Amino acid sequence: MYFAGESVRVLHVDDNSDLVEVTATVLEHEDDRLCVETATTIGAALERLSEERFDCVVSDYDMPGQNGIEFLEAVREAHGDLPFILYTGKGSEEIASDAISAGVTDYLQKGAGTDQYKLLANRIRNAVDARRSQRELDERTRRLESLISSLPGMVYRCLITPDWPMETVEGEVEALTGYTAADFETGTVVWGDDVLHPEDRDRIWETVQDALANEGEFEVTYRIITEDGTTKWMWEHGHRVTGGNADDPDALEGFITDITDLRERERKLRRYERMVNTMPEAACIYDVEGRFELVNQYLASFYGTTRGELEGEPSNLIPKIRKEYEGDPYQDLLDGEREELRGEVSGEFPEHGYEVLEYRLTPLIIDGTVEGVVGVTREVTEQREHEEKLARQRSILKAQQEAVIDGILVVDEDDTIVSYNERFVDMWDIPREIVERGDEEVALEWAMEHVAEPEAFRAKVEALYENPELTARDEIELADGRVFDRYTAPVVGEDRAWYGRLWTFRDITELKARERELAQQNERLEEFVGVVSHDLQNPLQVARSRLMLAHEECDSEHLDPIDNALRRIHNIADDVLRLAREGVDLGATEPVDLRETADDAWRLAADGTEDAELRYASDADRQWTVEADGDRLSGLFENLFGNAIDHGGPGVTVSVGLLDDEMGFYVTDDGPGIPADEREQVFEPGYSTAEDGTGFGLRIARQIAEAHGWEIHVTDGEDGGARFEITGVDGPE
């Protein structure tokens, strides 16, 4: 068994130089694994043995100076059990006896034929094999003894009965059980009755019996109760040993060790493994090539496979990470040049489509050596999409905040300023560090120093915070005379949860000034209306009465012009009074027929002008009903008809029709028309080209149209006159 593939060095000693050379040649021919060296004297042989390693010595007996037995004794003294074969031509029982006494390995007489060399080669092989086998056995025995003495447990031999009585035990018996080896070997303590946990006895007996019946050996784990009552977990491996004699019972031999700490580590490891496998993140260990060495369940599910199938496969993440860096960051982790690598990658992943992954890689260091990389990745695709959506919404909200003319301040439920716009900072001229600090109380104290009534200001703010559901609007006056319109409302979620309060501020200083100015103008207008309605109308009435008397007493060419002038003054006064008193405020709107309203207005406007004519476009199939204030719409027609009569003369023809391409209507005449450069001026108050026109008619017409939300434009009529188009008119609701 030890010759396979191994050479054997043989030292052949014989004083016949020719013989040793022939013997060496023939032996090497018989077996090419034999390497034969020669010596012709015992002195030379001993010298070579002291300098070189040989596996066997073959020696003649009868040699000058010393014989083979004396040489054997010298070899045994210097080299112990080195195989020694006495190969001699001088044989006798006495020599053989002396050789055996001296510890010769084998004894062989020389022969005349070549068969003797084959026998010698076989004897050499057997001697060397026996020595090597013995040395291996000795080494194994030594190792076994050393192993038993250093094992964290005990070895045993016991009978195969339910109480498992021990015949022999060795090793850390007392450290393991609290009992001595003698306690077990004498039967004072019985393993199955006194040590094995009661709840495990039946299971262990059945498990061992089944294993022995099938395989002849077993491996089990169980609990024991030590001498001091401590419960420990044991691991045992054993096998059946057949009795030496037919009447001897079979026994068990095996090894028992304490695995209590291992069981606890396994329990913790299982808990950790369950925790890792239930993580909503991918966790793994990569090897030095970037392959999956160990993966958790989440990562396997991510790839649509099992853990076993994924382990050993190359990672798709590592190449993507490497592309994002200069050099090789993954190799830097393996080389210990990086402690961590983290970031995000995005792209297509097999069986999963496009994903954004957040990753963190760290070296796996065991006993100071980097043996791989630990990786944890998390899918953040939806999160990033949500964050981008929120960012867009925040940008839009911020743009809206900055676009409005109001100052905006938002305070959360913890009285912290969470949002504001630049308009708020500018309006209050508040130091930016105050709003950025976020303390609403500090901002309130600063504002109190800049309002006209600080205590009332604070009281109102505190009252609103004490009643978070309230919405309020008021005006506050600042110490510098400015006036702010203040509006506040609670910030609530869809579930009506309260999240804080919104404040808006609008500078209405100029508006308040205009209101005061308008009030003053209204007072002056009332005075003016009083003058027109009383102080002017009375003298006009007197003048008209005197003129009537003058017509009765005399006939003068100056009387008619005076009558015309007085009539014009009267018309101007009527228009001014109506515009001043009534304005163009609308009443309730309702469906109104355009033609009926136009007919009524024509009768008033064309009274006394018999040659004037009103026509309608042939739009019989179209809708002539509009949503309007009938009285105001009649006034619009009256002023447009009056304008046509004033400028077109007594024989003017006026047409009313519906616009073709949009909702609206038109009024056109065949008069002289309005020059293009005067078409906007005709709507200005007091502007008129007619000798007796007041200049207010078209102005009133535009105001009536605009009060309805309509627009009025003037252009050329088809017959050369003026055409007024009223657009944006709604039909009945």
Side-chain angles (χ1 to χ4, degrees):
M1 56 182 289
Y2 295 97
F3 262 100
E6 297 184 33
S7 63
V8 176
R9 298 193 72 225
V10 179
L11 179 62
H12 186 199
V13 183
D14 197 307
D15 59 341
N16 188 331
S17 58
D18 293 333
L19 181 61
V20 293
E21 292 295 332
V22 171
T23 301
T25 301
V26 175
L27 287 177
E28 289 179 352
H29 177 74
E30 288 293 331
D31 192 329
D32 58 5
R33 288 166 295 182
L34 296 179
C35 178
V36 182
E37 302 288 336
T38 62
T40 57
T41 66
I42 291 177
L46 290 173
E47 184 177 355
R48 293 200 64 177
L49 285 172
S50 66
E51 297 175 350
E52 302 177 49
R53 183 192 66 80
F54 288 93
D55 297 301
C56 184
V57 175
V58 177
S59 175
D60 190 14
Y61 172 77
D62 192 8
M63 290 183 294
Q66 285 182 309
N67 60 33
I69 300 298
E70 293 170 334
F71 178 37
L72 170 61
E73 291 173 345
V75 169
R76 286 285 172 263
E77 182 178 354
H79 303 287
D81 60 349
L82 179 66
F84 192 103
I85 298 175
L86 191 62
Y87 183 58
T88 178
K90 184 179 181 180
S92 68
E93 292 183 1
E94 181 181 356
I95 294 174
S97 176
D98 292 342
I100 293 172
S101 299
V104 73
T105 305
D106 205 345
Y107 178 85
L108 183 65
Q109 285 189 336
K110 299 176 183 178
T114 57
D115 290 341
Q116 198 69 4
Y117 290 111
K118 292 181 180 180
L119 181 60
L120 177 60
N122 186 58
R123 295 287 182 90
I124 293 173
R125 288 193 294 268
N126 290 340
V128 172
D129 184 67
R131 186 191 187 222
R132 289 179 176 178
S133 297
Q134 184 60 46
R135 285 200 167 185
E136 181 67 19
L137 178 61
D138 292 345
E139 178 63 19
R140 291 179 63 186
T141 301
R142 183 191 65 77
R143 290 179 180 178
L144 180 60
E145 291 174 350
S146 175
L147 176 64
I148 292 173
S149 65
S150 60
L151 278 176
M154 68 183 203
V155 294
Y156 69 88
R157 179 186 177 93
C158 74
L159 296 179
I160 308 176
T161 61
D163 54 351
W164 309 110
M166 299 289 184
E167 293 184 344
T168 59
V169 288
E170 295 182 38
E172 298 181 349
V173 181
E174 191 167 357
L176 199 67
T177 67
Y179 301 107
T180 65
D183 290 335
F184 289 105
E185 292 173 348
T186 61
T188 304
V189 176
V190 179
W191 185 266
D193 294 338
D194 301 319
V195 180
L196 189 60
H197 197 287
E199 295 180 3
D200 293 345
R201 291 172 185 172
D202 292 341
R203 175 178 63 84
I204 294 303
W205 173 256
E206 294 174 359
T207 301
V208 171
Q209 295 309 305
D210 290 343
L212 292 177
N214 294 324
E215 300 176 1
E217 61 179 347
F218 63 90
E219 184 177 314
V220 290
T221 58
Y222 54 84
R223 291 166 293 174
I224 67 168
I225 299 176
T226 66
E227 189 271 338
D228 63 0
T230 301
T231 299
K232 293 182 179 180
W233 277 93
M234 300 290 116
W235 175 82
E236 179 179 344
H237 180 269
H239 62 278
R240 183 194 298 273
V241 179
T242 304
N245 299 317
D247 296 335
D248 292 339
D250 291 348
L252 293 182
E253 290 182 354
F255 172 72
I256 301 172
T257 187
D258 185 351
I259 61 168
T260 305
D261 291 341
L262 177 61
R263 291 279 296 194
E264 180 62 22
R265 288 195 296 271
E266 287 178 347
R267 187 181 68 85
K268 291 181 179 179
L269 181 60
R270 286 193 297 270
R271 291 175 60 191
Y272 180 75
E273 185 177 6
R274 284 195 296 270
M275 179 186 72
V276 171
N277 282 320
T278 56
M279 287 171 52
E281 297 175 332
C284 66
I285 296 175
Y286 300 104
D287 64 14
V288 295
E289 301 297 330
R291 295 184 298 255
F292 293 117
E293 187 171 312
L294 184 67
V295 302
N296 71 345
Q297 186 59 48
Y298 186 92
L299 181 56
S301 299
F302 177 86
Y303 279 94
T305 184
T306 64
R307 295 169 58 192
E309 291 177 348
L310 186 59
E311 290 169 357
E313 294 296 320
S315 164
N316 290 285
L317 177 65
I318 302 303
K320 293 180 183 294
I321 294 175
R322 281 172 160 158
K323 288 181 179 179
E324 293 190 350
Y325 289 83
E326 293 184 2
D328 190 343
Y330 186 78
Q331 189 62 44
D332 292 343
L333 290 171
L334 296 172
D335 294 341
E337 297 178 4
R338 276 182 180 267
E339 295 182 356
E340 181 184 71
L341 188 64
R342 65 167 66 215
E344 287 185 7
V345 295
S346 60
E348 296 291 329
F349 288 86
E351 306 297 331
H352 221 65
Y354 177 83
E355 288 290 350
V356 179
L357 300 182
E358 182 180 73
Y359 64 85
R360 179 174 182 266
L361 305 181
T362 55
L364 174 63
I365 301 176
I366 299 177
D367 296 332
T369 302
V370 178
E371 297 192 1
V373 172
V374 178
V376 177
T377 58
R378 183 163 59 98
E379 294 177 71
V380 293
T381 309
E382 293 184 3
Q383 177 181 335
R384 293 297 176 262
E385 291 175 351
H386 182 64
E387 289 174 353
E388 291 177 3
K389 182 178 180 180
L390 286 180
R392 288 195 298 270
Q393 291 176 341
R394 291 193 188 100
S395 298
I396 292 172
L397 179 59
K398 187 63 176 177
Q400 290 173 336
Q401 283 186 340
E402 297 301 335
V404 299
I405 63 174
D406 298 334
I408 297 176
L409 178 72
V410 182
V411 180
D412 68 10
E413 65 271 27
D414 297 322
D415 297 333
T416 300
I417 297 173
V418 294
S419 181
Y420 62 91
N421 66 353
E422 293 299 317
R423 179 62 177 155
F424 171 79
V425 175
D426 294 340
M427 287 177 63
W428 284 94
D429 196 24
I430 185 172
R432 189 173 298 277
E433 57 268 21
I434 291 180
V435 290
E436 289 181 350
R437 179 178 174 182
D439 191 330
E440 190 269 346
E441 179 62 27
V442 175
L444 179 60
E445 291 290 340
W446 191 92
M448 287 178 59
E449 298 177 1
H450 295 79
V451 296
E453 299 180 6
E455 294 304 322
F457 178 80
R458 171 180 277 278
K460 183 63 176 290
V461 171
E462 291 178 348
L464 287 166
Y465 278 121
E466 291 173 0
N467 298 275
E469 75 284 354
L470 290 182
T471 297
R473 187 168 195 166
D474 61 354
E475 295 178 1
I476 55 176
E477 184 176 352
L478 274 65
D480 60 9
R482 289 182 295 158
V483 180
F484 289 169
D485 176 87
R486 175 175 63 181
Y487 172 78
T488 181
V491 179
V492 295
E494 294 181 357
D495 57 355
R496 304 304 300 169
W498 189 77
Y499 295 116
R501 183 167 286 278
L502 166 72
W503 300 86
T504 66
F505 303 89
R506 178 173 295 182
D507 191 339
I508 58 172
T509 306
E510 293 183 2
L511 176 61
K512 299 300 287 187
R514 288 197 298 270
E515 287 179 353
R516 290 192 294 269
E517 182 181 351
L518 182 58
Q520 294 172 357
Q521 290 176 350
N522 287 338
E523 290 178 3
R524 291 194 296 269
L525 182 58
E526 286 296 328
E527 294 175 359
F528 170 72
V529 170
V531 170
V532 173
S533 63
H534 183 270
D535 296 350
L536 183 59
Q537 289 287 2
N538 286 344
L540 282 174
Q541 186 63 34
V542 171
R544 295 291 294 275
S545 299
R546 293 290 184 181
L547 181 61
M548 181 182 66
L549 294 175
H551 272 294
E552 293 177 357
E553 293 179 359
C554 65
D555 184 13
S556 172
E557 62 180 2
H558 298 293
L559 295 179
D560 287 339
I562 292 173
D563 185 45
N564 291 336
L566 291 175
R567 186 182 299 111
R568 173 153 176 75
I569 293 172
H570 177 76
N571 291 340
I572 292 174
D574 282 347
D575 286 345
V576 171
L577 286 173
R578 183 167 56 170
L579 184 61
R581 285 176 172 164
E582 300 178 6
V584 289
D585 293 336
L586 296 183
T589 62
E590 58 183 352
V592 177
D593 188 283
L594 282 173
R595 285 176 293 198
E596 292 179 1
T597 305
D599 285 341
D600 293 339
W602 179 259
R603 283 191 291 270
L604 293 174
D607 184 29
T609 312
E610 298 178 357
D611 294 335
E613 181 182 0
L614 175 64
R615 297 177 180 176
Y616 293 100
S618 57
D619 296 320
D621 296 334
R622 297 184 62 187
Q623 176 64 263
W624 283 81
T625 303
V626 299
E627 186 74 19
D629 180 336
D631 291 339
R632 291 289 181 250
L633 180 58
S634 179
L636 183 146
F637 277 123
E638 288 177 28
N639 283 283
L640 293 179
F641 293 160
N643 179 75
I645 293 171
D646 287 344
H647 293 83
V652 69
T653 298
V654 179
S655 299
V656 177
L658 300 176
L659 297 175
D660 293 333
D661 55 353
E662 55 185 314
M663 194 63 186
F665 57 92
Y666 65 86
V667 176
T668 184
D669 60 62
D670 58 359
I674 302 174
D677 57 355
E678 296 181 13
R679 289 174 183 171
E680 278 302 313
Q681 298 178 41
V682 298
F683 294 109
E684 296 177 1
Y687 182 86
S688 177
T689 59
E691 293 182 1
D692 57 351
T694 65
F696 285 94
L698 294 181
R699 174 65 177 177
I700 293 172
R702 168 172 276 188
Q703 289 184 336
I704 293 173
E706 291 177 347
H708 280 85
W710 307 338
E711 293 184 3
I712 184 170
H713 305 281
V714 62
T715 183
D716 293 329
E718 294 180 359
D719 298 327
R723 176 183 169 101
F724 292 88
E725 295 182 350
I726 297 85
T727 60
V729 181
D730 294 328
E733 296 181 356

